[in-house]
Amino acid sequence: MIGRWRNADINEQLSGRVDTLEFHSKVLRTNHLGDPPQRPLWIYLPPGYDREADRRYPSIYVLQGYGLRLPAWNEHTRGKPTFIESIDRSFSQHGATRAVVVFVDGWTRYGGSQFIDSRGTGRYHSYLTDEIVPFVDGRYRTLPASMHRGIAGHSSGGFGAVVSSALRPDLFGALATHAGDALYEYLYLPEFARATRNLRPYSGDIWQWWRKYVHKRGPRSPEDENLLMTLGCAACFSPSSTGAPTLPFDPATGVLDERAWRRWLAWDPVRMVKRYAEALRGTHGVWIGAGTGDEYFLDLGSTALHETLLGIGVPERSLHFELFEGLHDGNEHRYPVALKWLCERLKS
């Protein structure tokens, strides 16, 4: 079931256009958190799409980072063009191979779903692969084959791009991960230590913090950011049999719960690559990038991911790897460049 998302002015400055839809998901109806199954779904159609009625296009699915909602792709930061404006300019002014670009929402009340199926959050991987991809291919003039379909994202969205490609190589033939979650011992262990400290005022009870947080007004503090991500990722990676998040550490001492932590490590892309080597060896392209000052050490995670992909036999010509001066945020200037690179590998 499809509705129309409320965003009237998004197309004013574009050469292409964006269909702003509301998708009524079946698989998200019974999600554990009671989050709405009606989700925004934005479809960017490149210049010429409406004139060239017989032409079909590659498609690229874009996933947002943790804590962000889909409309953030149309927000200006630091006076720069939005991502949608940037790709529109690339297609209209710079001669890039054109594609249909699909913006998928994976937000939850904890901030994100990691775009996986989890008892603790919902079936967000199935939502993407079993509902959104068939809907887009059925409604728009895409080239409906994995060799013409890519996926990209930043941070948690970059993680979702890698995992989706590993689990469904029949759907996604190329990917871009911008500071995507990887090498979990460096990404998450420092966050667990911070979370243990941040829970001291709440006697180690994350639900006491949560009850206060949901009624808080104004911007989130760094402590809120840390605890929200910790709670949300526990809901994704280590839910209990009832769906409640299981923290992978003792909130009073910080000592790891080894059993729960192993469940998190099973989702680490660096480790997943080895288990899904056969699927990933057939990729048409993997773009990997991060800032050298990334606060979550995802420059190390990106380096390890690149080396692991080479180690399983992905040819160097299929990989683009870059480290550049910068932090975790501030990768925006690389998004349209990576999308152009993907388009070249996905064109007919």
Side-chain angles (χ1 to χ4, degrees):
M1 185 176 178
I2 289 293
R4 182 65 59 176
W5 189 260
R6 300 174 299 278
N7 197 318
D9 59 354
I10 191 171
N11 289 306
E12 288 184 356
Q13 304 299 321
L14 302 181
S15 298
R17 66 178 171 87
V18 178
D19 281 357
T20 53
L21 308 176
E22 183 178 80
F23 190 93
H24 294 233
S25 170
K26 293 180 180 179
V27 302
L28 296 181
R29 285 178 183 170
T30 57
N31 71 82
H32 179 73
L33 298 178
D35 287 322
Q38 300 84 17
R39 295 303 174 105
L41 176 66
W42 291 5
I43 318 291
Y44 170 84
L45 304 172
Y49 180 91
D50 294 318
R51 296 191 306 271
E52 301 170 340
D54 295 328
R55 180 176 176 182
R56 289 187 170 271
Y57 296 82
S59 57
I60 298 176
Y61 289 71
V62 178
L63 312 180
Q64 82 269 23
Y66 205 87
L68 298 176
R69 296 175 184 253
L70 185 149
W73 292 113
N74 195 46
E75 294 176 358
H76 291 89
T77 58
R78 298 182 289 276
K80 298 178 181 178
T82 69
F83 177 54
I84 293 175
E85 290 172 344
S86 295
I87 62 174
D88 184 72
R89 292 177 186 178
S90 180
F91 290 149
S92 62
Q93 300 176 10
H94 305 303
T97 298
R98 297 173 181 179
V100 171
V101 184
V102 184
F103 296 86
V104 182
D105 180 67
W107 181 88
T108 74
R109 68 176 58 192
Y110 292 154
S113 63
Q114 300 296 86
F115 301 95
I116 66 172
D117 286 351
S118 169
R119 186 189 300 271
T121 52
R123 297 172 60 196
Y124 286 87
H125 174 70
S126 295
Y127 168 64
L128 167 63
T129 59
D130 297 343
E131 292 190 320
I132 299 302
V133 171
F135 167 78
V136 171
D137 284 344
R139 180 166 176 144
Y140 297 94
R141 297 194 314 277
T142 60
L143 291 162
S146 63
M147 65 185 297
H148 304 301
R149 189 184 296 114
I151 188 167
H154 170 249
S155 194
S156 290
F159 164 83
V162 176
V163 169
S164 297
S165 298
L167 296 178
R168 294 298 302 270
D170 59 312
L171 291 184
F172 301 108
L175 71 98
T177 172
H178 302 278
D181 300 357
L183 204 61
Y184 278 12
E185 52 266 60
Y186 294 125
L187 165 59
Y188 284 120
L189 292 182
E191 294 304 302
F192 296 165
R194 294 186 184 96
T196 303
R197 288 177 173 173
N198 292 335
L199 286 172
R200 283 176 181 161
Y202 305 98
S203 303
D205 183 355
I206 199 166
W207 296 112
Q208 187 183 137
W209 163 80
W210 174 254
R211 288 190 290 271
K212 180 179 178 181
Y213 171 77
V214 295
H215 296 292
K216 183 177 181 178
R217 296 183 178 181
R220 293 192 293 259
S221 68
E223 292 77 15
D224 290 335
E225 297 277 5
N226 164 255
L227 292 175
L228 184 65
M229 186 177 72
T230 301
L231 180 63
C233 288
C236 295
F237 299 141
S238 55
S240 69
S241 59
T242 65
T246 300
L247 295 180
F249 59 93
D250 184 312
T253 65
V255 174
L256 279 177
D257 177 334
E258 295 291 350
R259 183 178 179 181
W261 176 232
R262 284 196 295 272
R263 296 174 68 187
W264 285 55
L265 290 177
W267 285 104
D268 178 4
V270 173
R271 292 167 169 88
M272 286 187 72
V273 161
K274 297 175 183 178
R275 298 202 308 275
Y276 293 91
E278 184 177 352
L280 291 167
R281 273 195 291 266
T283 183
H284 293 276
V286 180
W287 175 292
I288 305 169
T292 54
D294 190 291
E295 302 93 313
Y296 302 101
F297 302 103
L298 292 172
D299 51 330
L300 304 184
S302 296
T303 303
L305 180 62
H306 174 246
E307 292 300 315
T308 306
L309 286 167
L310 287 173
I312 65 167
V314 177
E316 182 71 61
R317 66 179 180 275
S318 297
L319 298 173
H320 174 96
F321 173 65
E322 61 178 23
L323 297 178
F324 46 84
E325 185 175 348
L327 303 176
H328 184 64
D329 293 323
N331 293 255
E332 299 94 337
H333 65 294
R334 304 307 293 165
Y335 298 169
V337 182
L339 188 132
K340 181 179 179 180
W341 185 87
L342 286 178
C343 287
E344 286 299 313
R345 280 148 185 81
L346 295 169
K347 67 183 180 181
S348 59

